[in-house]
């Protein structure tokens, strides 16, 4: 892994490069270079290359042909027409895989143990038209390099070109985990929307899709052995994810270098389970909901019940069988103690066992996590199970720090690896206004709106000691879907989610001033590829970097 340099220093010392995330080490020139109409990508010396690598090569060539993105300058590149016409022509990009032993596919490498993944690459593009080269020690690294290669080019009158040859890029991620969470329970997202989102994630090197697939409002996941949950808990029979759908999504993601981490939040956020198994849920749809839950409808698993613990363990194991990822989130956030205080069955179980609520929670967590470990999964939890409840967690448990970014230090102090998911930086739903009814002046709880500049300014090591910094695995943006659905998925996520992708690939310290022109590039290229990314500024500003800065 390359040394973690200050990104602002790196950018100040080199020419602007419209690649996102910015490579950890690079140099460019000022020589025009164009792609040959017969440009090819070669993979010599690899017998029977993995099919997903071949497909990635084909997609790269397709993007080079179809992007047709004009340069974001006032004349869209027209003043460079003569230089482009007279430029040398690049005919080939040669891929070299430097590895020993059997060659693994991108899909295999994408789901390897989180800290063991190899994503680095070296890309060299001479200015004289001689062959470009892409080298990596893994197919996943080659895929990341292909992604970078595809971002270097613009279109003018049907010619694909760059004005910045030669390129020398040596790149690898600063952090192993770079994620995006999508909640598909408050509102349902069709499989094609998820696949489009996975495509966009891969274009900015996000490598984990955190799928918050079910919650109190709906249970759209069809789980073998527990099909009554979706039959009675999905919004409709058409708004479900079948095992075949999950298999398709997992395979689609893996081929694009993305691991799919499922989340079944327990013991809270489980009201919907009562539709099929009422015996396992306390305070089901109790009113007023605000006394029993953070949002409607109320309902939590009866965690002190041995039968409920056994049921939940089996359910989690069944869900785990649908996913290839070694990571599995069991949630653990926003437990409402009043729900259990008012539940006669839970109080009877606690009394019979002579346990406090936290002791019962400890038993519940140990049992469900043991079940997941038995099927090869590593538990991921929300921060409350580390900081607020004295439960026993395996040493390799990962905590999602969400309530406040300042809580990372406390999690690290307890010795747990962590993922930054801070609501004060990365919640995409913040600032949308209050969504509960009869609340005229209501705001979202996590106001204000989190701009891309806010999330881009995030320092993963803030308030951490050097030793504590070693516990940071990465971070992610998150979309809770109370006010989101298929109609606004793209614009609410993109290009804002790309900002954390760069923070956790390139490292902290980026300058929003130099980042903005590159993020415009991301947004416009996404639009060319069919992702409806929102505009960051008026087009006039996007074509004139710096002219719309606060003090310009």
């Amino acid at each position: 892994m390359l040394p973690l340099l200050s990104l602002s220093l790196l950018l100040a010392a080199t020419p602007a490069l419209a690649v996102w995330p910015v490579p950890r080490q690079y140099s460019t020139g000022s020589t025009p270079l164009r792609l040959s109409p017969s440009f090819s990508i070669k993979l010599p010396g690899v017998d029977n290359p993995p099919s997903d690598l071949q497909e990635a090569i084909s997609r790269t060539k397709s993007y080079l042909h179809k992007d047709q993105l004009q340069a974001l300058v006032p004349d869209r590149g027209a003043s460079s027409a003569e230089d482009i016409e007279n430029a040398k022509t690049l005919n080939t990009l040669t891929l070299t895989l430097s590895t020993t032993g059997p060659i693994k596919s991108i899909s295999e490498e994408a789901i390897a143990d989180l800290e063991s993944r190899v994503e680095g690459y070296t890309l060299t593009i001479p200015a004289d038209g001689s062959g470009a080269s892409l080298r990596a020690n893994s197919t996943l690294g080659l895929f990341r390099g292909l992604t970078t290669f595809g971002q270097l080019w613009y279109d003018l009158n049907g010619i694909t070109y760059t004005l910045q040859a030669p390129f020398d890029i040596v790149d690898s991620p600063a952090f192993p985990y770079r994620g995006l969470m999508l909640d598909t329970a408050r509102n349902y997202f069709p499989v094609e929307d998820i696949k489009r989102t996975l495509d966009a994630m891969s274009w900015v090197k996000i490598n984990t899709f955190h799928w918050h697939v079910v919650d109190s409002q709906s249970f759209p996941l069809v789980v073998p052995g527990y099909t009554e949950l979706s039959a009675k808990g999905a919004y409709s029979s058409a708004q479900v994810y079948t095992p075949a759908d999950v298999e398709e999504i997992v395979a689609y993601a893996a081929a694009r270098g993305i691991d799919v981490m499922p989340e079944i939040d327990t013991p809270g956020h489980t009201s919907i389970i009562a539709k099929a198994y009422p015996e396992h849920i306390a305070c089901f749809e109790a009113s007023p909901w605000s006394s029993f839950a953070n949002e409607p409808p109320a309902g939590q698993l009866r965690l002190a019940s041995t039968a409920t613990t056994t049921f939940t363990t089996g359910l989690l194991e069944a869900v785990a069988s649908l996913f290839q990822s070694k990571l599995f989130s069991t949630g653990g956030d926003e437990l409402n103690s009043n729900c259990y205080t008012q539940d006669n069955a839970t109080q009877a179980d606690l009394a019979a066992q002579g346990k406090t609520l936290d002791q019962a929670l400890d038993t519940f967590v140990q049992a469900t996590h043991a079940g997941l470990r038995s099927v090869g999964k590593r538990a991921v939890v929300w921060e409350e199970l580390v900081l607020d409840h004295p439960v026993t967690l395996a040493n390799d448990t990962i905590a999602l720090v969400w309530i406040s970014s300042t809580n990372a230090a406390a999690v690290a102090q307890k010795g747990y690896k962590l993922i930054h998911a801070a609501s004060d930086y990365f919640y995409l739903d913040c600032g949308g206004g209050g969504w509960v009814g009869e609340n005229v002046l209501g705001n979202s709880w996590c106001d204000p709106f989190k701009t891309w500049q806010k999330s881009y300014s995030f320092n993963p090591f803030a308030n951490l000691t050097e030793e504590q910094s070693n516990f940071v695995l990465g971070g992610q943006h998150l979309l809770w879907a109370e006010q989101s659905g298929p109609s606004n998925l793209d614009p609410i996520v993109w290009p804002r989610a790309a900002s954390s992708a760069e923070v956790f690939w390139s490292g902290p310290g980026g300058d929003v001033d130099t980042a903005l022109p590159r993020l415009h590039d991301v947004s416009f290229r996404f639009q060319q590829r069919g992702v409806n990314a929102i505009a960051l500024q008026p087009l006039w500003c996007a074509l004139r970097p710096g002219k719309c800065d606060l003090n310009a």
Side-chain angles (χ1 to χ4, degrees), residues 219-442:
F219 202 108
L221 183 65
V222 180
V223 183
Y226 299 82
T227 55
E228 284 295 293
L229 287 169
S230 55
K232 295 182 177 180
Y235 286 127
S236 74
S237 60
Q239 293 173 299
V240 297
Y241 304 106
T242 66
D245 292 332
V246 173
E247 182 178 11
E248 179 182 1
I249 289 168
V250 168
Y252 194 89
R256 287 152 181 79
I258 298 169
D259 191 18
V260 180
M261 177 179 75
E263 179 180 350
I264 304 295
D265 202 349
T266 61
H269 291 272
T270 47
S271 173
I272 196 66
I273 289 175
K275 297 291 186 180
Y277 300 94
E279 67 273 22
H280 295 309
I281 298 299
C283 65
F284 174 61
E285 296 188 1
S287 179
W289 62 262
S290 56
S291 295
F292 298 91
N294 280 56
E295 65 178 49
Q300 301 179 155
L301 285 164
R302 286 185 166 126
L303 53 77
S305 162
T306 301
T308 299
T309 301
T310 301
F311 165 83
T312 307
T313 301
L315 172 62
L316 295 184
E317 290 176 5
V319 174
S321 70
L322 299 173
F323 293 87
Q324 296 179 342
S325 178
K326 294 177 173 61
L327 302 178
F328 192 110
S329 175
T330 62
D333 63 318
E334 297 183 331
L335 277 184
N336 186 291
S337 60
N338 185 54
C339 171
Y340 294 124
T341 300
Q342 301 297 320
D343 183 57
N344 292 334
T346 297
Q347 291 303 306
D349 285 330
L350 291 174
Q353 298 165 26
K355 290 180 178 179
T356 66
L357 188 60
D358 270 341
Q359 288 171 336
L361 176 62
D362 184 35
T363 300
F364 177 89
V365 170
Q366 288 196 57
T368 54
H369 284 198
L372 287 173
R373 281 196 302 276
S374 73
V375 293
K377 303 301 184 182
R378 178 181 183 182
V380 180
V381 299
W382 295 107
E383 65 178 73
E384 289 97 318
L385 288 190
V386 173
L387 300 181
D388 297 341
H389 302 285
V391 300
T392 305
L393 299 171
N395 291 336
D396 67 348
T397 303
I398 299 170
L400 291 154
V401 179
W402 72 276
I403 295 174
S404 170
S405 56
T406 60
N407 292 346
V411 171
Q413 184 64 34
K414 287 182 175 288
Y416 292 101
K417 296 289 182 71
L418 65 93
I419 293 167
H420 286 293
S423 57
D424 47 333
Y425 282 87
F426 300 124
Y427 272 31
L428 293 163
D429 56 306
C430 297
W435 58 269
V436 296
E438 296 185 336
N439 188 26
V440 174
L441 301 179

Side-chain angles (χ1 to χ4, degrees), residues 183-204:
D183 159 24
T184 60
R186 271 77 177 197
N187 284 300
Y188 177 84
F189 295 84
V191 171
E192 288 307 309
D193 286 332
I194 294 175
K195 290 168 66 176
R196 186 179 66 257
T197 301
L198 292 167
D199 278 324
M201 291 166 62
S202 75
W203 301 334
V204 290

Side-chain angles (χ1 to χ4, degrees), residues 70 132 172 175 307-308 379 472 494 500:
Q70 294 182 321
S172 63
F175 297 92
T308 299
V472 179
W494 305 113
S500 64

Side-chain angles (χ1 to χ4, degrees), residues 4-21:
L4 191 58
L5 302 176
S6 168
L7 186 54
S8 58
L9 292 176
L10 186 153
L11 290 173
T14 52
L17 181 70
V19 171
W20 196 284

Side-chain angles (χ1 to χ4, degrees), residues 26-323:
Y26 71 89
S27 65
T28 66
S30 57
T31 302
L33 182 68
R34 49 192 286 185
L35 282 187
S36 167
S38 59
F39 172 78
S40 64
I41 300 176
K42 299 180 178 180
L43 183 61
V46 178
D47 296 328
N48 301 313
S51 60
D52 56 11
L53 178 57
Q54 297 181 69
E55 291 163 2
I57 291 171
S58 296
R59 287 198 305 275
T60 301
K61 291 169 66 177
S62 177
Y63 293 144
L64 291 169
H65 175 68
K66 295 180 179 179
D67 277 0
Q68 297 180 349
L69 177 64
Q70 294 182 321
L72 296 182
V73 294
D75 67 2
R76 308 310 298 269
S79 58
S80 301
E82 184 175 351
D83 290 335
I84 294 167
E85 286 283 350
N86 295 325
K88 299 286 187 179
T89 300
L90 179 65
N91 292 294
T92 61
L93 170 65
T94 300
L95 276 53
T96 302
L97 183 60
S98 303
T99 185
T100 58
I103 296 174
K104 294 183 178 180
S105 65
I106 297 170
S107 300
E108 290 174 298
E109 293 177 346
I111 63 171
D113 288 335
L114 179 60
E115 293 96 325
S116 71
R117 297 173 194 166
V118 178
E119 299 182 78
Y121 65 92
T122 301
L123 176 63
T124 303
I125 305 174
D128 62 2
S130 57
S133 66
L134 172 59
R135 293 180 169 83
N137 295 330
S138 66
T139 55
L140 185 57
L142 288 178
F143 178 67
R144 302 300 183 213
L146 286 169
T147 300
T148 296
F149 185 85
Q151 293 179 332
L152 299 174
W153 309 91
Y154 297 96
D155 177 84
L156 183 67
N157 301 324
I159 299 174
T160 304
Y161 75 95
T162 178
L163 299 176
Q164 293 183 285
F167 296 91
D168 286 291
I169 297 172
V170 181
D171 200 13
S172 63
F175 297 92
Y177 184 102
R178 306 172 308 279
L180 174 67
M181 192 218 76
L182 179 64
D183 159 24
T184 60
R186 271 77 177 197
N187 284 300
Y188 177 84
F189 295 84
V191 171
E192 288 307 309
D193 286 332
I194 294 175
K195 290 168 66 176
R196 186 179 66 257
T197 301
L198 292 167
D199 278 324
M201 291 166 62
S202 75
W203 301 334
V204 290
K205 302 184 177 71
I206 294 174
N207 71 349
T208 307
F209 176 49
H210 173 184
W211 191 359
H212 187 93
V213 61
V214 302
D215 210 290
S216 280
Q217 291 81 5
S218 76
F219 202 108
L221 183 65
V222 180
V223 183
Y226 299 82
T227 55
E228 284 295 293
L229 287 169
S230 55
K232 295 182 177 180
Y235 286 127
S236 74
S237 60
Q239 293 173 299
V240 297
Y241 304 106
T242 66
D245 292 332
V246 173
E247 182 178 11
E248 179 182 1
I249 289 168
V250 168
Y252 194 89
R256 287 152 181 79
I258 298 169
D259 191 18
V260 180
M261 177 179 75
E263 179 180 350
I264 304 295
D265 202 349
T266 61
H269 291 272
T270 47
S271 173
I272 196 66
I273 289 175
K275 297 291 186 180
Y277 300 94
E279 67 273 22
H280 295 309
I281 298 299
C283 65
F284 174 61
E285 296 188 1
S287 179
W289 62 262
S290 56
S291 295
F292 298 91
N294 280 56
E295 65 178 49
Q300 301 179 155
L301 285 164
R302 286 185 166 126
L303 53 77
S305 162
T306 301
T308 299
T309 301
T310 301
F311 165 83
T312 307
T313 301
L315 172 62
L316 295 184
E317 290 176 5
V319 174
S321 70
L322 299 173
F323 293 87

